[in-house]
């Protein structure tokens, strides 16, 4: 007799969830870059443009490897990505530590700069490998009704990574950048080995006919429970594989036709099943299981307009987020140095660390909250989850406007918190929308292609920010960029530091505000477009069921 899958709240499924969160927590270490980037620049005499190139290398590693890791996870499972992540994290962070330790007081050579960029790149490779495993495994181990919440919970670990490792390092080794890099190398790598043991896909239990239909119909006018033994619920009356009828299959037979997985579609078709059992049975003979939904991938994905819509929204918003995340340490130092005759490098580093921690915690919160909001919108309000993009885009716009208006480092946390919520919300909702639009079967592969979008926005906005900051930096003690006395300049962290406060970077923020406003318009369009498709799907279901 074949063993039954564990229950939804069983220990194996919960263990997989906890393991996936730990793997995700260890995969988001690129967000901590701002915690040590200014110190790296000061020790190795790096310009802001060079620091942004190094930071972008990690982002490139994360997002460029997305399609490859997606294919590996979908076809081979979690073992290969987790082993690779373990090795890459060790090599990457210990390599950065070695260059940092050996570069005191000397300008870095071109070869060492290349090695530094390469090490950062492979830490990005590790991050995406771990994240792909965590998201894919949990998405396939929990039902669709809780997928937004579960996915957001796992992704929240990714966002909390910077806060977790920065806190551990600051408590154990306060002010020691070399120790921080060691903690990153060892502390992030070990959970990947743990994931090899406890992170695995847990099959879903057989759907209950009562829950499978009643869950979508509770409160529906004219609803009557369907007996669990009703033959209309199954693909074939004599089929041993008891799969529920998929109403989306009744809508259209074209393989690329998109029908969002919605309870309203179940409602409409189920009334027809009750009153027209023979017609439903005829239709059921060509139905897919209810959990399949759309299945768009590969070449078909690149020919789908929805792919380019989500790609552009992600590029604009994630590019804004990456620019801020990679440079918030430099922003805080510029604001702290502005007109401050008593510059204290230790105090400046504390402000810098405070921004990184605030960003990380809010990133974490954003990923959880957006999952809850997405499921509320989807199940209670019966609107497409794509409308969550409107919420996220609005937060991005407000965060950038807030950053533009701030002149005091003591208030920078407000813009940082808003940006963290927005960025976490973006990456918390995007995989769920990809499932809604393109299906679950090739989630990791499709997410990998969409994850290429931050490379576009991230590279453009971050390099623009770095060049803008360098153009305001003082290269000698006779510059007029700051009101600080010449005697105090020796205590500043780098000869490339800008001391003009908000003026060092504000022009870059005007660009990102415009980008986020464009993304907001596209988000509204995406939600309306998805809602229109859902309405059309309902009409098609009614027409097919009446035939």
């Amino acid at each position: 007799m074949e063993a039954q899958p564990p229950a939804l709240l069983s220990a194996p499924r919960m263990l997989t969830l906890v393991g996936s969160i730990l793997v995700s927590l260890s995969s988001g270490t690129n967000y901590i870059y701002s915690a040590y980037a200014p110190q790296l620049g000061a020790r190795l005499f790096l310009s802001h443009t060079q620091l942004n190139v190094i930071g972008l290398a990690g982002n490139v590693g994360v997002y460029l490897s997305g399609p490859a890791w997606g294919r590996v996870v979908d076809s081979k499972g979690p073992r290969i990505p987790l082993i690779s992540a373990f090795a890459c994290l060790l090599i990457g962070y210990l390599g950065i530590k070695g260059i940092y330790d050996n570069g005191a007081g000397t300008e870095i050579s071109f070869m060492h700069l290349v090695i530094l960029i390469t090490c950062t790149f492979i830490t990005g490779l590790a991050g995406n490998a771990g994240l792909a495993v965590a998201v894919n495994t949990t998405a396939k181990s929990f039902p669709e009704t809780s997928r937004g919440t579960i996915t957001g919970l796992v992704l929240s670990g990714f966002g909390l990574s910077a806060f977790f490792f920065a806190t551990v390092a600051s408590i154990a080794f306060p002010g020691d950048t070399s120790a921080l890099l060691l903690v990153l190398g060892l502390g992030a790598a070990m959970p990947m080995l743990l994931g090899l043991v406890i992170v695995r896909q847990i099959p879903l239990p057989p759907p209950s006919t009562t829950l499978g239909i009643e869950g979508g119909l509770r409160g529906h006018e004219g609803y009557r429970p369907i007996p669990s033994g009703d033959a209309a619920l199954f693909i074939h009356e004599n089929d041993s594989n008891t799969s529920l009828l998929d109403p989306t299959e009744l809508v259209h037979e074209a393989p690329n036709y998109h029908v969002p997985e919605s309870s309203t579609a179940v409602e409409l078709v189920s009334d027809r099943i009750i009153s027209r059992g023979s017609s439903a049975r005829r239709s059921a003979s060509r139905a897919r299981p209810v959990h399949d939904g759309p299945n768009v991938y590969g070449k078909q994905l690149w020919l789908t307009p929805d792919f380019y819509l989500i790609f552009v929204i992600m590029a604009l918003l994630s590019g804004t987020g990456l620019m801020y995340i990679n440079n918030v340490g430099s922003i805080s130092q510029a604001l702290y140095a502005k007109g401050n005759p008593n510059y204290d490098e230790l105090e400046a580093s504390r402000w810098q660390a405070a921004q990184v921690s605030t960003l990380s915690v809010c990133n974490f919160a954003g990923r959880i909250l957006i999952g809850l909001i997405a499921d509320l919108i989807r199940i209670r309000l019966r609107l497409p989850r794509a409308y969550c993009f409107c919420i996220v885009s609005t937060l991005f716009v407000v965060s950038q406007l807030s950053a533009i208006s701030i002149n005091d480092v003591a208030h920078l946390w407000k813009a940082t918190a808003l940006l963290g919520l927005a960025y976490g919300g973006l990456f918390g909702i995007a995989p769920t929308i990809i499932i809604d639009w393109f299906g679950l079967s090739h989630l990791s592969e499709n997410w990998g292609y969409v994850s290429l979008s931050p490379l576009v926005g991230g590279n453009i906005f971050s390099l623009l920010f770095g060049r803008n900051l360098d153009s305001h930096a003082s290269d000698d003690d006779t510059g007029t960029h700051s009101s600080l006395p010449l005697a105090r300049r020796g205590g500043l962290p780098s000869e490339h530091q800008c001391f003009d406060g908000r003026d060092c970077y504000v022009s870059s923020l005007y660009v990102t505000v415009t980008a986020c406003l464009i993304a907001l318009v596209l988000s509204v369009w995406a939600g309306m477009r998805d809602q229109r498709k859902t309405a059309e799907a309902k009409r098609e279901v009614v027409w097919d069921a009446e035939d």
Side-chain angles (χ1 to χ4, degrees), residues 182-537:
L182 179 62
V183 168
L184 289 173
L186 297 178
M190 294 307 170
M192 300 299 177
L193 292 182
L194 180 63
L196 286 171
V197 180
I198 64 176
V199 176
R200 57 191 178 91
Q201 182 180 339
I202 307 297
L204 290 172
S208 167
T209 54
T210 300
L211 292 177
I213 298 296
E214 184 180 353
L217 292 176
R218 188 173 289 115
H220 181 63
E221 183 179 357
Y223 160 68
R224 291 173 290 170
I226 300 175
S228 60
D230 196 319
L233 291 175
F234 303 100
I235 294 179
H236 295 290
E237 292 184 69
N238 60 349
D239 192 347
S240 61
N241 296 320
T242 56
S243 298
L244 285 174
L245 171 66
D246 180 8
T248 62
E249 187 69 10
L250 301 174
V251 177
H252 205 286
E253 293 184 2
N256 294 330
Y257 192 87
H258 165 62
V259 181
E261 301 174 60
S262 63
S263 58
T264 51
V266 178
E267 294 172 9
L268 289 169
V269 76
S270 61
D271 283 344
R272 305 298 178 185
I273 291 173
I274 296 169
S275 61
R276 305 175 65 93
S278 60
S279 174
R281 280 191 289 270
R282 185 176 66 249
S283 298
S285 65
R286 57 186 174 87
R288 293 193 310 260
V290 100
H291 54 70
D292 282 0
N295 188 23
V296 181
Y297 66 98
K299 183 179 179 181
Q300 294 175 354
L301 181 72
W302 292 90
L303 297 177
T304 303
D306 283 341
F307 169 73
Y308 295 97
L309 179 58
I310 193 172
F311 191 96
V312 173
I313 293 173
M314 289 283 293
L316 294 172
L317 297 180
S318 63
T320 298
L322 289 174
M323 181 202 76
Y324 192 93
I325 290 169
N326 288 343
N327 292 280
V328 67
S330 298
I331 291 174
S332 66
Q333 288 195 344
L335 290 175
Y336 179 72
K338 175 67 173 179
N340 185 359
N342 299 312
Y343 185 93
D344 183 344
E345 187 171 352
L346 182 59
E347 182 66 17
S349 68
R350 288 173 181 162
W351 284 114
Q352 172 191 334
Q355 302 310 313
V356 173
S357 296
T358 300
L359 180 66
S360 182
V361 171
C362 291
N363 191 349
F364 161 80
R367 291 171 192 253
I368 290 182
L369 291 174
I370 201 65
L372 297 172
I373 292 171
D375 287 341
L376 176 65
I377 289 176
R378 158 72 173 75
I379 297 172
R380 299 296 181 186
L381 303 182
R382 298 189 179 178
L383 292 173
R385 290 188 179 105
Y387 276 117
C388 290
F389 274 145
C390 300
I391 300 174
V392 170
S393 299
T394 301
L395 281 174
F396 268 105
V397 171
V398 176
S399 73
Q400 297 304 284
L401 291 175
S402 178
I404 288 173
S405 66
I406 290 173
N407 287 293
D408 188 345
V409 68
H411 299 292
L412 184 60
W413 69 270
K414 301 173 184 177
T416 302
L418 289 169
L419 191 282
L421 285 172
Y423 192 80
L426 175 65
F427 282 90
I429 191 58
T432 305
I433 293 179
I434 288 173
I435 294 173
D436 287 346
W437 286 7
F438 310 127
L440 178 61
S441 299
H442 295 81
L443 166 63
S444 293
E445 179 182 344
N446 291 342
W447 172 239
Y449 288 126
V450 174
S451 294
L452 295 174
S453 57
L455 295 181
V456 180
N459 277 282
I460 293 174
F461 296 148
S462 293
L463 291 177
L464 176 66
F465 191 97
R467 290 185 178 276
N468 184 30
L469 207 55
D470 282 336
S471 69
H472 289 84
S474 177
D475 291 326
D476 55 64
D477 286 343
T478 62
T480 60
H481 295 287
S482 173
S483 59
L484 288 176
L486 296 182
R488 299 298 305 163
R489 287 193 180 269
L492 291 169
S494 172
E495 63 179 13
H496 298 288
Q497 178 68 40
C498 176
F499 313 121
D500 292 346
R502 190 177 70 100
D503 293 337
C504 294
Y505 53 82
V506 69
S507 59
S508 299
L509 299 181
Y510 290 128
V511 175
T512 54
V513 165
T514 303
C516 294
L517 286 172
I518 295 173
L520 177 58
V521 173
L522 293 176
S523 298
V524 173
W525 183 35
M528 295 174 64
R529 192 165 182 262
D530 212 11
Q531 190 172 16
R532 185 173 63 251
K533 286 183 179 182
T534 303
E536 292 173 355

Side-chain angles (χ1 to χ4, degrees), residues 127-165:
N128 206 339
L131 186 63
V133 167
V135 172
N136 184 285
T137 303
T138 50
K140 293 180 178 179
S141 298
F142 288 86
E144 193 272 341
T145 53
S146 61
R147 189 172 295 144
T149 302
I150 294 297
T151 302
L153 187 62
V154 172
L155 288 170
S156 67
F158 192 76
L160 194 62
S161 183
F163 172 76
F164 176 78
F165 286 105

